Each structure stands twice: as structure tokens, then as C-alpha cells.
Amino acid sequence: MQPPTPATTDAWLDCAVPWPAAWLRLVCLPHAGAGAGTFRPWAALLGEQVEVWSAQLPGRERRLAEPPLTTMAELVPPLLDAVTARVRPPFAIFGHSMGGLIGYELARRLVARGGPVPQRLVVSAARPPHRAARTGEAHALDDAALTDWLGGLGGVPEEVLADAALLELILPTVRADLSVVASYRPVSPEPLPCPVDAVAAADDPLVDPDEVAGWAAYTTADFSLTVVPGGHLYLHDSPPPLTRLLGGGPAVPAGPGAVDRTYAEGATR
């Protein structure tokens, strides 16, 4: 059997519902093991004003036949090329968990390349880059232990955790994605010139809201922290207040109990 051929820029991004007249495009980056399908419902949620582009990484959904990547150095350059080629400015970047780190690297390299610079970076349930490796050695767990670890995060359906055939398909991708996070070592903190908005879940067993607040060091512009109810995978049940975070108007409800914490520049650095 021939190995998969290198994917073109078309393979890396999915836009389920194009809105050519949208005032903003939103590039969404998934958590470990997830694919573009995680964000497809957001097109209806945000409506015609925001065009949703979802990253489709190797090893899942329509790219299931491709081996998943295990380092940020492998993953970001082709995604960077895809965003540059296909996503028309102005755009923002949203990343959840692993996706928050990918989003930062994507934004950082766009700045280094001379643009286009995202209007803002929204990171969700993600440690800041200098603390990313604290995810630990979950990628090195055997299948049974990794399944238990996923169950402890909450948000993964019990029927998925109990389906041996399905786990055989998804666990290698989860493990590869966790390797991306565990091996990520930013050269040095490089603040972005765009605002950074961080979202933390109040009952997240993996990432504490105080850790998420550390993203304040990664922008020379405005920073905000919003704490929402739920665990690490809260967005499967209730998305963050997207339209407010994107600066586009009233918030899409994030569920009862969401709290905003806005930090003045330098307050948490």
C-alpha cells in the first residue's frame, strides 16, 4: 500500500458554510484527538457575520489515513501556508487546549513573516506556552491508562470510552497530539501585537484558571480572562461567549455562571 501523499493547503482547512460578506473570518484549532467537525456547528451559531474555518489535522476525519504529526515543528508550517493561502483578512484565531498553543505559534509566525496579523487570538483551556509541557507524560500511557485519563477530563461520551474498535482508531491520534504539547518548547516568550483573550473552565482538572491567566504575558495589546462553567472539554456542551470575545457585539451565551476577569496590562505578568 502506497503511503499517503503530502496534503495540499486545501486539506488543512475546512469551511463548511462560506459567508463571503462576513466582517471576520475565524480560524479554529482543535484539542487533542479532535477534528474540524468540532467547530462546524459554530457556523450557525455565529451567523453570516463570521466565517468559520476549521483546521483539519492529519490522522482524523477525512484525513484518517494520514499519520498524525507529533511535533509543533511538523504541524505549524503547512497550516501556516494554508491560512495564508486561503483565509482572507481580517481574521481571528481560536484554539482550545492543544489548539491554543498551535494558535499562538501560528500567530507568532504570521507576525514574523510580516503578516497578515490576526485581529486577536482567543485561547481556551490552554496553559501558556512556557507551562505547556506540564501536561506531563499522558502521551506515554498505555491504551487502558490513556482511556482512563480521557475519561477523567469529562466531556468524552461513555459510549466512546467503551468502544474498543473506536478507541483503536482514535487513541494513536490522541497520543500523537499529546506528544505535540509535551514536546513543545517555545524559544522565548514573544508577545503578540494583537489582543489575547483567554477562556478557562472553572472545574477543569487539567488547566487551572490561574494558569490560563499567564497568557497575559503573550500580548503587548489588551488581555482578558473569562471563566466559564464546566470541565476541560466544556465547549462540547456550551461554547465560550464568542461574539463578545471577537469584538463583534453581544455575546453568544456561554451558559449560566460565566465570569469575566479583565486584567490591566502588566497586572499578571
Side-chain angles (χ1 to χ4, degrees):
M1 178 172 153
Q2 293 272 337
T5 56
T8 67
T9 57
D10 288 350
W12 284 84
L13 290 171
D14 176 81
C15 181
V17 184
W19 295 116
W23 69 273
L24 182 73
R25 277 139 291 282
L26 179 62
V27 177
C28 297
L29 305 163
H31 60 82
T38 300
F39 302 107
R40 288 193 187 109
W42 288 15
L45 194 68
L46 292 168
E48 300 180 21
Q49 298 305 305
V50 179
E51 186 176 72
V52 177
W53 289 79
S54 306
Q56 186 64 281
L57 308 182
R60 66 214 78 201
E61 295 181 0
R62 59 181 165 81
R63 300 185 69 184
L64 186 62
E66 299 176 51
L69 303 178
T70 59
T71 67
M72 198 72 76
E74 295 173 297
L75 193 155
V76 172
L79 188 57
L80 178 67
D81 290 341
V83 170
T84 303
R86 301 190 63 201
V87 182
R88 178 167 53 88
F91 63 86
I93 296 172
F94 175 91
H96 185 78
S97 193
M98 173 188 74
L101 298 172
I102 297 172
Y104 168 71
E105 271 300 306
L106 189 59
R108 184 185 71 81
R109 296 186 193 207
L110 283 165
V111 171
R113 184 184 274 194
V117 177
Q119 286 208 332
R120 62 200 318 114
L121 171 66
V122 182
V123 294
S124 170
R127 290 190 178 97
H130 65 283
R131 297 177 72 87
R134 292 192 64 206
T135 300
E137 301 300 319
H139 65 284
L141 297 173
D142 63 26
D143 285 357
L146 184 55
T147 300
D148 289 343
W149 184 85
L150 288 172
L153 293 182
V156 181
E158 288 295 328
E159 56 268 28
V160 172
L161 297 173
D163 189 328
L166 184 57
L167 287 172
E168 188 176 354
L169 282 176
I170 67 175
L171 286 182
T173 298
V174 171
R175 188 174 282 111
D177 288 352
L178 292 173
S179 295
V180 170
V181 177
S183 64
Y184 175 52
R185 299 290 187 277
V187 177
S188 62
E190 294 184 36
L192 302 172
C194 63
V196 172
D197 298 293
V199 183
D203 299 316
D204 189 337
L206 191 61
V207 185
D208 186 87
D210 288 339
E211 288 185 292
V212 179
W215 280 98
Y218 288 83
T219 176
T220 57
D222 295 334
F223 174 76
S224 72
L225 172 63
T226 301
V227 181
V228 299
H232 190 68
L233 300 179
Y234 76 88
L235 82 171
H236 287 184
D237 300 315
S238 180
L242 290 164
T243 47
R244 181 189 60 74
L245 291 169
L246 298 176
V252 172
V259 177
D260 291 337
R261 301 179 188 170
T262 302
Y263 293 85
E265 184 177 351
T268 61
R269 299 178 193 172

